Amino acid sequence: MIEKGKISQEPFIEILKTLEEAESANLVDWNAMNIASVDEMNQPSSRMVLLKKISDDGLVFYTNYNSRKGKEIELNPKVAVNFWWRELQVQIRISGSISEASRSESEEYFNSRPKGSRISAIVSKQSEEIESFESFQRIVEEAINNLDEKDIKLPDHCGMYKIMPVEIEIWKEGEFRRHERTLYKSEGKKWVKSYLSP
């Protein structure tokens, strides 16, 4: 499930329509999206995350701010996003800026997660080297056994990010490479729509 805020702008309506189609088709990880960021040497890196909320204000996902992606976003708050649904023959490419969502928004999501997921978020030092997977498992188990529910609170190093798109391309596969490519560019408070050659 993803949370749906106010959606009235055409490109966001199109994104939501495709997401709902993917969910209805019971596709695995239908709300998965690839996020690409760059480091201080302009070396790109990418990873899959799950979309948690969509509205006219942007796309929201949850993560560890101290992770590699978090450190890269702090250096350069511009990202690229890619959704791909092979079964639907649709790809959505997005570029834009990114910032931390409100603390209350992050807390609301964190508190909705299962206890095990919340504890893993608290103890994880995402992207840092660890002794072994088993050693991390032991730390999680100790925390599960020792933490009371009142102590399981959103840590400072975790929260939601909001992506504010400036460009959205919706690509639909066609026969014989006759793909339909619709491009939306943000110009102030409006979106300008155009079409690209496949």
Side-chain angles (χ1 to χ4, degrees), residues 8 17 45 50 52 72 80 85 89 94 96 118 121-122 134 147 168 175:
S8 61
K17 189 164 63 175
S45 64
L50 296 178
K52 296 298 179 183
E72 291 178 351
W85 301 274
Q89 298 179 306
I94 298 169
R118 286 180 283 148
I122 290 170
E134 290 73 23
L147 285 177
I168 298 171
E175 288 187 342

Side-chain angles (χ1 to χ4, degrees), residues 60-149:
V60 177
F61 69 96
Y62 173 85
T63 194
N64 185 315
Y65 294 142
N66 292 336
S67 63
R68 178 176 176 175
K69 79 179 87 53
K71 290 173 182 174
E72 291 178 351
I73 287 166
E74 188 175 355
L75 284 170
N76 182 351
K78 293 182 179 177
V79 294
V81 177
N82 188 284
F83 289 95
W84 168 240
W85 301 274
R86 170 71 265 178
E87 297 84 351
L88 304 183
Q89 298 179 306
V90 176
Q91 175 181 210
I92 297 178
R93 299 172 60 212
I94 298 169
S95 58
S97 60
I98 187 168
S99 63
E100 291 181 16
S102 70
R103 198 65 184 164
S104 60
E105 199 171 0
S106 295
E107 286 173 342
E108 183 180 352
Y109 171 71
F110 181 82
N111 293 332
S112 73
R113 303 181 81 197
K115 181 179 179 181
S117 296
R118 286 180 283 148
I119 288 177
S120 292
I122 290 170
V123 302
S124 173
K125 296 178 180 178
Q126 194 176 94
S127 300
E128 291 187 17
E129 190 173 318
I130 58 175
E131 182 184 331
S132 65
F133 179 70
E134 290 73 23
S135 66
F136 174 71
Q137 287 279 66
R138 285 195 299 273
I139 293 169
V140 172
E141 289 303 320
E142 285 174 15
I144 288 173
N145 293 330
N146 295 324
L147 285 177
D148 293 327
E149 187 65 36

